[in-house]
Amino acid sequence: MRVDSKRNQIELLIEQLDLNEHIDSFKNFFSRDASLYIEGDQELHFKYIKELDKIEFNAPPKIASFHTIKNHLKKHGVLNFDQIFEIVKVVRYFRYFKNRELDGIIGQWMEKFIIDERFTEIEKYFTRDGKFEENLDENLFGLSQRIKEHKNDMSGALKRMMSSSKLAGYLVDTQIHFVNNEDCLLVRGGFNHVLKGAVVGRSTGGFFYVSPDSILKSKEKIRFIEQEREAIFYTYAKEFSSKLAELQAFINFIDKEFDKFDNYQARVLFARAKSLQIVKAKNDSKIILHSFIHPALHKAKPIHVDFSKNILMITGVNAGGKTMLLKSILASAFMAKYIIPMALNETKSHIGSFKNVLSIIDDPQNVKNDISTFAGRMQEFSKIFEYKSSLVGVDEIELGTDSDEAAALFKVILDDLIKKGQKVVVTTHHKRLAALMADRDDVELMAAIYDEEHRKPTYEFMHGIIGKSYAFETASRYGISHSIVSEAKSVYGDNSERLNLLIERGSQLERELKQKHQKVDTKLEELEEKERSLKEQKEKLFKELDEQRYALKRSYEVAISEAKSAAKAGDTQSIHRAMDKANKKLPQEKKETPQVLEFKVGDKVKYHSQKGIIISMRDKKEATIEVEGMRVRVKTKHLKHTQIVKPKIKPNIKVDVEKRSGLKCDLHGMRADEACEVLDKFLSDALINGWDEVIIYHGIGTGKLSYAVKNFLIAHPRVKGFDDAPQHLGGFGAKIVSL
């Protein structure tokens, strides 16, 4: 009962967040019906999914549940061929992966599948599409041939009858009809003088459908043969079921492992098909979305939001996208929890983990429940207090009651929810509520932006301010006459308008002041930390100086003692030996090491008698210089700095500079080895020119070029990381590379 209740809650949440179409599309990639949530260690599941995403593979076939099959085997029942073939399909698919001899954790996983020889004996009797291989059994093959002969005899007999001169006068047409599962001729009355058979039906024109006796006899013979075949089939099914009953442990194993694999492959192939990113929830409650696009929206503006605090209050213009922003935040947390692919910038986004995602979005009032809007909202809030560590979304929090009273009530409610560990995002037109909450450090404000010049929402948001509702402007935009809007403004009054502006401006100034205080405090802490660090360094230096002074004093004392001993000896040789020993006791003068010249790309240098410029460096010991149009690779120890006019360096490849994507390289249509050579030169030139991020287009195609590009980037020593490009920059067919 609890499982059904949980499932209903998830289905309701999916509907409220407008994720139905996205989830339904995702479920189509599953091979068998499965839950959205993968039981077990989510970190480990995510690791397998990302590893599987590096591999090109065929999707598995549709597989039925093994529940009934396992019950039959447990009770030593006899499976039919369709049930046996379901097991065969799973084993064949895992064998397909085993035969590829993959590396890494996927390859290690496939090594666990050891297929028993008894199963191989069963598998060989089924074709690729699940038909029984009758050719492997002599009796079945003979019976099939006899059936073919009888069918040929039937066809020949009917053709001869239609061409018979005796029957020609009774035939209505020259077609063979199939009525009530019988092959028939359509004839006129009186046919019984020339045709013996059974009437199996009447036509609308009063004619007779007659199946000749010879045809009926042949069909009867075929029925007897079919019964013999069925008996043989049953013998095989019984034999196969007996062998499979002995392999129940193996069947249970592959059933469980295929469920796991099905969850992995569905996510990988869905992400590839829709150019989406696979993201898992992190072990905190922070939400940062960059370039997120809600799957229900088409040609939508990407969302950028930083929800690191406990409460996010979204205000601003009506119909400006506040509700969709709330749904996007909740949808991203829900999809990350279940590792469902989504559209966003994976590297710049961060989605925390929550035990529950709860929403209060719809108006609870309806005729059936006989409850007011506000009372329904209070019921929904009371349920939220039962949960902990949840993400809660409330749309139009003031819905259904007086705004001033609601502001005080909801402030206390939000305070209590935060104490219980909830993270809350709300949309509101309550400027009073927003002003009451704005002075808290754990509250983030966002406002929907309104384009006053063009008098329409921009569907963009700004952090740190309380926005106006623009109710009058929205009314005009949707067809309310100018006279009505003007009169409403006069009724509302200038004082009310000024009060709202003061609330908004006061809240903004308060937050700006708080931010400045935080910056000053942060700067002061940094200065104090630097002061402590300098003090520690000073004390450390003084301590080292004292130690060196003491060591120096001791060494001189020892040297003087040795010199005195030499003087007392009187013997010249003894004096020299003692002085040598004393010299060794003295601190040795450190020889200055010759200064090593450092060079970098663009330096003007002299190589022997030739002057040139460094255009690339392999390491600190070797460089490539250009001298009078020629390129020479030389040792840096043979170079000297000079001052000559820097010649212009012609680029080796054509690159395009874009505001967003930086450098880009298009590899479409190239072979793998040719693409890697072009890519090597492209990355070298990008590094020389100081670019730290580039984009590479390789397309999707067969996946070979994509696979080659991935391997090349992984092996390149100057590539910090790379990932699939956002959807608007090429998605799965391109890579963003950090250098």
Side-chain angles (χ1 to χ4, degrees), residues 91 441 495 735:
V91 175
D441 293 331
N495 291 335
K735 295 284 181 292

Side-chain angles (χ1 to χ4, degrees), residues 33-270:
D33 291 337
S35 169
L36 291 177
Y37 187 73
I38 313 174
E39 296 290 341
D41 185 348
Q42 300 301 299
E43 289 287 347
L44 185 60
H45 292 322
F46 186 69
K47 186 177 180 182
Y48 274 100
I49 290 169
K50 297 301 283 186
E51 286 298 314
L52 191 62
D53 192 27
K54 299 176 183 178
I55 303 169
E56 298 294 333
F57 62 94
N58 299 326
K62 294 297 180 182
I63 304 292
S65 170
F66 280 11
H67 180 71
T68 304
I69 294 171
K70 291 191 290 187
N71 281 340
H72 279 344
L73 292 176
K74 193 173 181 180
K75 297 175 182 178
H76 299 283
V78 178
L79 302 177
N80 59 45
F81 284 166
D82 289 338
Q83 292 173 318
I84 296 170
F85 186 60
E86 291 301 319
I87 303 174
V88 170
K89 285 192 288 186
V90 173
V91 175
R92 282 180 176 173
Y93 190 75
F94 278 132
R95 185 186 284 113
Y96 151 72
F97 257 89
K98 278 179 67 70
N99 290 343
R100 296 182 63 182
E101 298 181 352
L102 300 168
D103 297 326
I105 59 174
I106 301 297
Q108 294 169 9
W109 186 18
M110 292 303 129
E111 289 176 1
K112 297 179 181 179
F113 295 91
I114 301 172
I115 301 170
D116 195 285
E117 286 298 325
R118 288 170 290 180
F119 189 86
T120 308
E121 284 296 314
I122 298 171
E123 184 184 356
K124 71 179 182 181
Y125 281 94
F126 291 91
T127 63
R128 193 174 188 83
D129 55 357
K131 293 180 180 178
F132 192 85
E133 286 279 12
E134 297 184 23
N135 295 340
L136 298 178
D137 187 283
E138 187 177 350
N139 292 332
L140 282 174
F141 181 77
L143 293 173
S144 296
Q145 292 301 113
R146 286 170 58 190
I147 289 173
K148 287 181 181 178
E149 290 173 3
H150 284 303
K151 287 183 176 179
N152 289 334
D153 291 343
M154 288 166 56
S155 177
L158 286 170
K159 289 178 181 178
R160 286 193 297 272
M161 289 178 190
M162 286 188 293
S163 61
S164 170
S165 57
K166 292 181 179 180
L167 191 59
Y170 296 97
L171 288 173
V172 176
D173 56 34
T174 56
Q175 295 181 6
I176 298 173
H177 300 270
F178 193 71
V179 180
N180 296 331
N181 295 323
E182 299 290 349
D183 295 299
C184 309
L185 300 175
L186 184 60
V187 295
R188 297 181 176 87
F191 68 87
N192 54 337
H193 297 292
V194 293
L195 178 64
K196 300 298 180 183
V199 176
V200 295
R202 294 286 298 271
S203 70
T204 55
F207 303 117
F208 301 92
Y209 289 106
V210 178
S211 181
D213 284 345
S214 59
I215 302 301
L216 292 174
K217 290 177 182 178
S218 295
K219 281 203 168 186
E220 190 65 26
K221 292 177 182 178
I222 291 174
R223 288 191 187 99
F224 280 119
I225 297 172
E226 288 287 357
Q227 289 176 359
E228 290 184 52
R229 292 175 77 243
E230 289 299 324
I232 297 173
F233 285 147
Y234 181 78
T235 302
Y236 273 106
K238 190 175 181 181
E239 179 187 346
F240 294 163
S241 299
S242 177
K243 289 182 179 180
L244 291 174
E246 298 172 0
L247 298 170
Q248 286 186 67
F250 174 71
I251 293 170
N252 290 332
F253 171 71
I254 62 169
D255 182 36
K256 182 180 179 181
E257 294 301 300
F258 186 79
D259 274 342
K260 191 190 302 181
F261 180 86
D262 195 26
N263 271 289
Y264 298 163
Q265 68 82 25
R267 285 161 170 81
V268 170
L269 296 183
F270 178 59

Side-chain angles (χ1 to χ4, degrees), residues 10-12 14-15 17-36 62 266-267 270 273-274 276 295-296 334-335 340-341:
I10 292 173
E11 290 175 355
L12 176 61
I14 290 171
E15 184 178 347
L17 301 182
D18 298 327
L19 291 175
N20 303 68
E21 185 177 341
H22 187 68
I23 298 300
D24 289 342
S25 178
F26 169 53
K27 286 181 177 179
N28 288 333
F29 284 82
F30 280 87
S31 177
R32 55 165 49 157
D33 291 337
S35 169
L36 291 177
K62 294 297 180 182
R267 285 161 170 81
F270 178 59
K274 305 292 184 180
L276 305 174
F334 174 80
M335 290 189 285
I340 299 172

